[in-house]
Amino acid sequence: MTEKARESMRVVVLAGGISDEREISLNSGKNVCAALTEAGFGTVEMLDPAAGDFIDRLRGGAYDVAFPALHGKGGEDGQIQSVLEFCGLPYTGSGVIASACAADKAVSKALYQRAGIPVARDMVFERGEGVDAKAVVAELGSELFVKPAVNGSSYGVSCVHSAAELMPAIERAAEHGGKVLVEQRLVGTEITVGVYDAPDALRALPVVEIRQQENAEFYDLNVKYIDPAEVHRIPAQIAPEDYARAQELACRAHEALGCTGFSRSDFIVTSEGPVILETNTTPGMTDTSLYPDEVRHAGLAFSEVCARLIELALDGTRAHLLSDPRVPADLTPSRYPQLWGQACR
C-alpha cells in the first residue's frame, strides 16, 4: 500500500447507479462506508454515478481511491471501471475486461469451459430472434431456467416447465437486456463460494448453502434479502469432497475470468459434483448479503477485508494465482462437525 496513512486518505464509495439493482447497491455502499470508517480511513464519501454532476464531483474530490459497490448494468460490467481508468483513479475489484466477461453469462461460461469448469448445457438467443420452443426443449429438457445474459440479482429470471412457458419467459428476460440465456435446470443443492485475495494467497471462503424456501422455486428476489439466518447455512451441509471441489472451482473461475481482489461464484451441487452458474465480481455487501456472511464465518473482520481491497487497488498488484489448483479446505471434524454427521443443526 502507499505510504499515506489510512487516516489521511480520501476514499469514494460508488453506489446507486442505473441498474435494476440500484437500491441494493445503495445499501451495499452504506455498509462499505461504515466498514471503511471502522477500518480507520479518514474521509469516506459515497457518490451515485446516476447523479448529473457525478463526473465533476469524482474528478474534483481529490480522492485517493474508489470502491465500486455497484451491481449489474453500468457497475459490474466494466462501464464504471472504464470511467475510473479514464480519470486515473485507482479502484477496488476487477478491471474492465474481467468485469465485462463475468457480467455476460454466455461469455463467462465459454471461459469456464476453457478452464475445465463444469457448466450447464444452454442456448443463447438475441432479442427478436425466432425461437423454436419445441427444439429447445428437445435439446435441453422441459425444465429450464431463462435468464437475461447480462443482469444480476435474479431480475428477469424464470423457471419454466414446458415449451408453452418458454416464449413468455424469453420475452420477460429480454426486457432486462437483449441477449437471453436458456439453460437446463440442474437438480441439486444450491451453494455459493466467495474468494478473497488474502496477503499470502488466493483463498476460498466458507461455502454457503442456499436453503430451499417454502413457495420459492429458486433463490429469487423474494428470498435474497430476508434474514440470512433463514436462508444461509454455513458451512454448507454437502459431502466433504464436493465442498473442497466447490472451493477449488470458485478460485479457478476467479482466475479464468481474470478477476482481482474478490468475487463470489454460485453453483449447483449435482449428483456428479458442483456445476458453476455464474461469478459476481462485485458481490452484494448489504447486511443480508452472502459475501459479508461468508467473511464473518471465516473469522475475518469485514472492515479489514474492505481495507485489503483498497490496499490491492493502491498497490496495483495482480491478484494471486494458484500455484496448486487444489484449494486446501479446513474440513476438520472439530471445526465443521456438520459435514461429518455430528451435531447437525
Side-chain angles (χ1 to χ4, degrees), residues 192-216:
T192 191
V193 190
V195 171
Y196 167 51
D197 193 17
D200 58 338
L202 182 63
R203 298 198 176 278
L205 294 170
V207 180
V208 183
E209 178 182 348
I210 310 300
R211 304 171 75 173
Q212 181 72 35
Q213 298 298 295
E214 189 175 352
N215 301 321

Side-chain angles (χ1 to χ4, degrees), residues 279-301:
T279 298
N280 300 272
T281 54
T282 310
M285 295 293 208
T286 73
D287 283 336
T288 60
S289 294
L290 289 157
Y291 196 89
D293 213 6
E294 291 179 80
V295 167
R296 286 189 290 269
H297 280 80
L300 302 169

Side-chain angles (χ1 to χ4, degrees), residues 69-335:
L70 296 156
H71 313 309
K73 181 181 178 181
E76 202 169 354
D77 56 5
Q79 291 190 46
I80 195 65
Q81 290 79 12
S82 295
V83 171
L84 295 168
E85 295 273 0
F86 185 78
C87 293
L89 186 61
Y91 57 91
T92 60
S94 295
V96 176
I97 294 176
S99 298
C101 288
D104 188 319
K105 295 179 178 66
V107 173
S108 61
K109 288 184 74 172
L111 293 171
Y112 298 147
Q113 287 181 292
R114 183 178 178 182
I117 300 169
V119 299
R121 292 182 299 117
D122 67 68
M123 300 176 75
V124 179
F125 300 97
E126 297 288 344
R127 183 195 296 273
E129 182 179 348
V131 178
D132 184 337
K134 290 183 179 178
V136 173
V137 168
E139 177 68 23
L140 301 179
S142 59
E143 297 277 322
L144 302 165
F145 272 105
V146 180
K147 312 170 181 179
V150 185
N151 211 329
S153 209
S154 299
Y155 286 97
V157 176
S158 302
C159 180
V160 304
H161 306 85
S162 68
E165 297 177 8
L166 184 58
M167 285 312 301
I170 289 176
E171 290 169 7
R172 279 194 298 274
E175 292 174 0
H176 297 267
K179 187 160 61 174
V180 176
L181 183 74
V182 180
E183 196 170 58
Q184 69 173 132
R185 185 180 186 181
L186 299 171
V187 177
T189 302
E190 186 169 359
I191 62 170
T192 191
V193 190
V195 171
Y196 167 51
D197 193 17
D200 58 338
L202 182 63
R203 298 198 176 278
L205 294 170
V207 180
V208 183
E209 178 182 348
I210 310 300
R211 304 171 75 173
Q212 181 72 35
Q213 298 298 295
E214 189 175 352
N215 301 321
E217 279 196 291
F218 62 98
Y219 192 44
D220 62 12
L221 286 168
N222 295 321
V223 177
K224 285 192 174 184
Y225 301 102
I226 65 177
D227 182 353
E230 298 180 23
V231 184
H232 307 172
R233 177 153 54 193
I234 310 178
Q237 293 188 24
I238 57 178
E241 59 270 23
D242 288 332
Y243 192 107
R245 176 68 168 160
Q247 288 188 313
E248 173 200 335
L249 292 176
C251 288
R252 284 173 57 188
H254 183 93
E255 290 186 346
L257 295 170
C259 296
T260 303
F262 69 143
S263 68
R264 199 200 77 230
S265 292
D266 303 334
F267 300 85
I268 298 292
V269 181
T270 71
S271 59
E272 297 180 356
V275 177
I276 196 164
L277 300 177
E278 63 179 309
T279 298
N280 300 272
T281 54
T282 310
M285 295 293 208
T286 73
D287 283 336
T288 60
S289 294
L290 289 157
Y291 196 89
D293 213 6
E294 291 179 80
V295 167
R296 286 189 290 269
H297 280 80
L300 302 169
F302 181 62
S303 58
E304 286 305 313
V305 170
C306 290
R308 168 65 180 161
L309 296 175
I310 287 182
E311 177 181 314
L312 286 169
L314 292 171
D315 281 349
T317 305
R318 284 196 67 194
H320 287 102
L321 298 178
L322 291 173
S323 57
D324 184 341
R326 295 168 299 174
V327 178
D330 183 1
L331 301 180
T332 60
S334 62
R335 183 174 182 189

